[in-house]
Amino acid sequence: MLMWNNNESGGSAGRDAVGLPGVEVTGEQVSMEFAKFDLAFNLAERHDAAGAPEGMDGVIEYSADLFDRATVEGFARRLVRVLEAAVETPGAPVSTIDVLDAAERRRVLVEWNDTARD
């Protein structure tokens, strides 16, 4: 699952934009003992005090029964690689963006494709 929050009300994707008279509200990170979905990316825009875009924050939630931490970290690296490439060349077709780095590409195309036999 991919969740995107582009709330423009400031703060960390608007998390601290709640205002109640006489009540101070702050956001807190909550850790769950289980994942609602097998794999979920939750991304949000971050804004400065003036409301200008300041970057993105993200959290990945995953089922430990299906994925290990190293695999999910690899997913995160690939997502960051794609997003950085899209920002660097915004007019480029998505199909031209490399998801794999050079080592991953070699592993898939050369090592895993080694079908030579005696």
Side-chain angles (χ1 to χ4, degrees), residues 9 22 24 26 66 76 91 103:
S9 57
E24 183 177 322
T26 59
L66 299 175

Side-chain angles (χ1 to χ4, degrees), residues 24-44:
E24 183 177 322
V25 178
T26 59
E28 294 292 326
Q29 188 77 7
V30 177
S31 178
M32 303 293 278
E33 294 294 319
F34 59 90
K36 291 182 185 178
F37 302 97
D38 293 345
L39 181 65
F41 292 80
N42 189 347
L43 305 174

Side-chain angles (χ1 to χ4, degrees), residues 15-72:
R15 284 187 212 116
D16 51 2
V18 175
L20 300 171
V23 177
E24 183 177 322
V25 178
T26 59
E28 294 292 326
Q29 188 77 7
V30 177
S31 178
M32 303 293 278
E33 294 294 319
F34 59 90
K36 291 182 185 178
F37 302 97
D38 293 345
L39 181 65
F41 292 80
N42 189 347
L43 305 174
E45 287 186 45
R46 186 175 58 245
H47 298 86
D48 64 16
E54 193 175 55
M56 286 175 35
D57 291 322
V59 174
I60 303 173
E61 181 181 301
Y62 63 94
S63 170
D65 292 339
L66 299 175
F67 302 101
D68 61 20
R69 183 180 181 104
T71 299
V72 174

Side-chain angles (χ1 to χ4, degrees), residues 84-93 96-97:
E84 286 175 343
V87 168
E88 288 172 11
T89 53
T96 64
I97 296 175

